[in-house]
Amino acid sequence: MRWRPAACPLLILALGCNDYALEGLGASARVNGDEETFQPGDSAGMDSGGGDDSGGVLDTGDPCADSGALNPTVEISAVEADPDAAEPVCTALGAVDWSMVVKWRASLPGFAMGMVAAPNQGRAGASVFVDSDGTMIELDGRDGTVLQEVLLVANTGSDDDGSMPVVADTDGDGDLDFAAPAWGFVNRVDTGTGAIFRFDSRGNDPHGADDEVIQYADIDLDGTPEVILSTAVFAADGTRLTEQATAQFTQMFVTDLDGDSFPEWVNGHGIWDPRDGSGTAFDASVGEGGSFYGAPVDVGGGSVAFSRDTSTWAVVEADGTVASTVSGAGGRLRGLVAVGDVDGDGSPDVVRIESQRTRVAVTEPSGRETRSWAFDEGDLSGGGLSLADLDADGIYEIILLRPSGLSVLSGLTGEVLAETTAVGTAARDSAPIIADIDGDGSAEIVALASSGTSAGEVVALGPATGRWARTRPIWNQLAYDAAAVRDDGTLVRFGTPGWSGLQAFRAQPGRDGELPDLAVSLSATDGEVCDEPAMLVTVGVRNIGSADAPAGALLQLSTWDGAARAVLLEEMLPAAIPPGKRVTLTWQGPLDAAGLIAEIVPVGQECDSLDDEAELLAL
């Protein structure tokens, strides 16, 4: 640690002026614990009005000493036993049996296109949700039993009444909130009570009934998620906030592209601020006008890529500039794009079905193809693909559903690792989902089986023997972003943009292997110091994995004032943290902020990067 003169403008918060501040902290600090374990490093000592430069463990002394101004303090514990330690969340997996078996099948009353899964109401495993012909079906992930059915909309006579639903715990009550668009309306269901709330989504768009994709996102970061369609953004009460009416027939996603904490709304026509609809339309030169089946994905640096009807893959920068295009890609893509490292080179790949649905291609984000595998004509006309790390090697497999069956492919060689004809679909954009839906510590593949637009089935698949990798119990929407939702279905308000975090989209990471796993907790209590109001903030960093977490992990504590994040402190943990151990950081001082965010940046690979952040946004 280096010490330097403090500069009050750097504090951002009303912490009071102190003579010296810890580099990166913006406040005076006291670091206690084992002197060998927690060395200050290149300390220049501390001189707060006549002190010495003794180095070693540093102590700011009396927090009330400076002319009545309260001096915030920081204390870091030595590595200590974790009183809440349990069995490691990940251990070595061993060899994987790629033979698949059907674990259960559940018949549906009508046609369905998409499904989602998440834990609900404290039950073991997860529930699987389907919008089948205008009816919400909730299935028990353990055996496929129907838990409830809720009519969303009367059958219009069309045999194509399915949609791509979303589930999330939007109010923190432990019950999932289901939402699905259906013929010009958005239908929301409180799955705890079965109560339904419906609002008109058509607005100025006569084609609003054609919206099939939906998700929840907290666009203004006020703690209440909004409802997002391809064409419009709605408040929780159904109030229309903004719209892009020409974006029907396109897929979309919501994520923070520019790093300002507020998410952008990206559909097949542009990049928008969902709060007011401002933004940049994609250049029409990269695709024909009217409706096109865009499948946008985040490709890093604030840029997105998408496919158009004209079979052009375009990379567009945040300001709308077309950075690059590749012709011959696409083939009327909608939701059939996924992102993840499928070849083990450490860089994410884009995986898609293209060229009139006769090939599965792996490309760089720019669209340059690196490898592809051909299929019989018509064999990719239905279904779709997703990614999952089923063998816990850190490399994603390609899970491909098509009319003739379901396959697990190596993303490096195209080798068919597993295959079954027990499930297949002719319905477009019906990609499989991957989650631990029965709570047995092994991933399941869940897919829709149907012939065209007729009634179908939900089929759950697993390994014939042993297990696949441990994984999450949730896949909550078509545009699944693992970094945006927690295991319990609550949304991550300050999610890390996919490209700078997991570098994955519509991909399910494994939670296995002999690896460390640093998990962060955060709490705050009001109190007094020096007869002044103060807050005690406690950040816990636990290793719940099965291997030592290397020294050098960076712990960051930030404040949130309702409009922006500000770093309150950054601290590098110089000691390794063994399994079942923890380190605790406490910060005490005056704090004028709406919330706090704690994040750990580990060194090297860990079992689960989705528990590296904790939020406390109601101080």
Side-chain angles (χ1 to χ4, degrees):
M1 299 176 188
R2 294 168 295 162
W3 295 82
R4 62 171 175 78
C8 283
L10 296 180
L11 300 185
I12 301 173
L13 304 172
L15 299 178
C17 281
N18 207 29
D19 285 346
Y20 283 81
L22 188 61
E23 179 75 44
L25 294 185
S28 62
R30 181 172 64 242
V31 182
N32 294 332
D34 186 289
E35 187 167 344
E36 290 186 11
T37 302
F38 293 94
Q39 292 289 343
D42 298 329
S43 173
M46 180 175 178
D47 186 0
S48 182
D52 60 29
D53 291 343
S54 59
V57 176
L58 301 170
D59 191 327
T60 59
D62 185 356
C64 312
D66 285 353
S67 304
L70 179 59
N71 301 317
T73 60
V74 177
E75 181 178 343
I76 304 176
S77 75
V79 175
E80 58 188 359
D82 179 4
D84 299 319
E87 289 296 316
V89 296
C90 54
T91 55
L93 175 58
V96 166
D97 180 0
W98 287 112
S99 302
M100 286 189 286
V101 295
V102 173
K103 302 186 80 167
W104 54 259
R105 310 179 78 104
S107 297
L108 299 175
F111 172 75
M113 289 178 62
M115 61 187 163
V116 291
N120 198 21
Q121 302 177 46
R123 288 189 294 266
S127 292
V128 177
F129 294 86
V130 182
D131 172 11
S132 177
D133 237 6
T135 298
M136 184 201 82
I137 311 292
E138 181 182 3
L139 304 172
D140 191 326
R142 294 169 292 185
D143 57 12
T145 302
V146 175
L147 296 174
Q148 63 175 318
E149 298 184 19
V150 177
L151 180 66
L152 303 176
V153 61
N155 195 312
T156 62
S158 168
D159 55 5
D160 190 6
D161 291 346
S163 68
M164 309 292 188
V166 61
V167 288
D169 182 359
T170 62
D171 53 12
D173 66 354
D175 297 337
L176 293 173
D177 301 298
F178 173 97
W183 299 101
F185 290 86
V186 169
N187 300 277
R188 298 187 63 185
V189 179
D190 181 334
T191 63
T193 65
I196 185 169
F197 170 65
R198 179 181 294 118
F199 60 85
D200 191 326
S201 62
R202 289 168 294 185
N204 297 323
D205 176 17
H207 298 286
D210 294 317
D211 263 324
E212 296 167 341
V213 185
I214 190 170
Q215 70 180 84
Y216 289 119
D218 188 358
I219 64 170
D220 51 9
L221 304 179
D222 66 350
T224 302
E226 283 71 34
V227 179
I228 320 292
L229 300 178
S230 299
T231 57
V233 177
F234 298 89
D237 64 0
T239 301
R240 180 181 294 260
L241 302 178
T242 186
E243 68 177 31
Q244 294 293 332
T246 58
Q248 74 265 14
F249 303 119
T250 73
Q251 295 296 345
M252 55 89 184
F253 66 93
V254 180
T255 192
D256 177 16
L257 289 173
D258 55 14
D260 68 349
S261 297
F262 290 94
E264 280 68 47
W265 171 37
V266 185
N267 58 29
H269 281 207
I271 303 172
W272 317 101
D273 185 332
R275 292 170 292 179
D276 59 14
S278 63
T280 304
F282 293 147
D283 189 333
S285 66
V286 299
E288 62 188 40
S291 64
F292 24 62
Y293 289 16
V297 292
D298 176 7
V299 292
S303 298
V304 300
F306 65 100
S307 171
R308 308 299 269 282
D309 273 0
T310 53
S311 296
T312 298
W313 181 259
V315 177
V316 182
E317 297 175 357
D319 63 359
T321 302
V322 179
S324 63
T325 61
V326 176
S327 298
R332 295 179 68 85
L333 300 186
R334 294 186 81 159
L336 308 181
V337 177
V339 176
D341 181 6
V342 299
D343 54 16
D345 67 354
S347 299
D349 306 287
V350 176
V351 186
R352 60 181 187 253
I353 295 172
E354 61 174 16
S355 297
Q356 302 307 312
R357 300 179 184 263
T358 60
R359 293 190 304 142
V360 172
V362 179
T363 77
E364 296 176 347
S366 66
R368 188 184 75 86
E369 187 176 299
T370 58
R371 66 191 74 85
S372 66
W373 305 284
F375 288 79
D376 293 339
E377 184 174 356
D379 198 21
L380 298 177
S381 60
L385 60 79
S386 304
L387 304 181
D389 182 9
L390 294 178
D391 56 1
D393 63 354
I395 303 171
Y396 289 102
E397 284 75 49
I398 302 170
I399 319 299
L400 176 66
L401 178 65
R402 57 194 196 280
S404 63
L406 183 142
S407 303
V408 178
L409 307 178
S410 163
L412 179 62
T413 66
E415 176 188 359
V416 177
L417 303 174
E419 193 165 33
T420 180
T421 59
V423 58
T425 184
R428 60 170 173 78
D429 303 339
S430 296
I433 65 174
I434 301 91
D436 182 3
I437 59 170
D438 57 9
D440 66 348
S442 176
E444 282 80 40
I445 299 172
V446 190
L448 286 165
S450 68
S451 56
T453 57
S454 62
E457 295 179 302
V458 176
V459 181
L461 302 165
T465 61
R467 67 177 178 87
W468 289 333
R470 294 182 178 91
T471 195
R472 309 186 74 201
I474 188 167
W475 186 298
N476 73 313
Q477 60 190 24
L478 177 70
Y480 173 61
D481 179 358
V485 63
R486 300 183 182 88
D487 283 9
D488 63 2
T490 57
L491 300 180
V492 177
R493 200 176 312 187
F494 298 94
T496 302
W499 206 257
S500 60
L502 285 174
Q503 297 188 322
F505 177 69
R506 298 194 61 255
Q508 190 70 285
R511 283 182 172 173
D512 239 316
E514 196 166 343
L515 296 167
D517 182 16
L518 294 180
V520 176
S521 62
L522 176 63
S523 63
T525 56
D526 293 322
E528 284 190 357
V529 176
C530 312
D531 298 324
E532 296 288 339
M535 184 165 289
L536 176 64
V537 179
T538 303
V539 182
V541 181
R542 310 165 58 212
N543 184 359
I544 59 176
S546 55
D548 287 0
L554 181 67
L555 179 61
Q556 184 180 86
L557 183 64
S558 302
T559 61
W560 173 251
D561 65 3
R565 290 175 66 160
V567 176
L568 178 61
L569 67 84
E570 286 183 331
E571 179 65 36
M572 185 173 290
L573 304 182
I577 304 178
K581 303 291 185 180
R582 72 175 183 182
V583 168
T584 303
L585 179 146
T586 56
W587 182 97
Q588 188 165 20
L591 188 62
D592 181 15
L596 290 166
I597 306 142
E599 182 178 8
I600 191 75
V601 181
V603 175
Q605 185 180 359
E606 62 173 346
C607 173
D608 178 13
S609 61
L610 300 177
D611 50 11
D612 292 345
E613 183 175 282
E615 303 168 3
L616 190 62
L617 299 175
L619 296 181

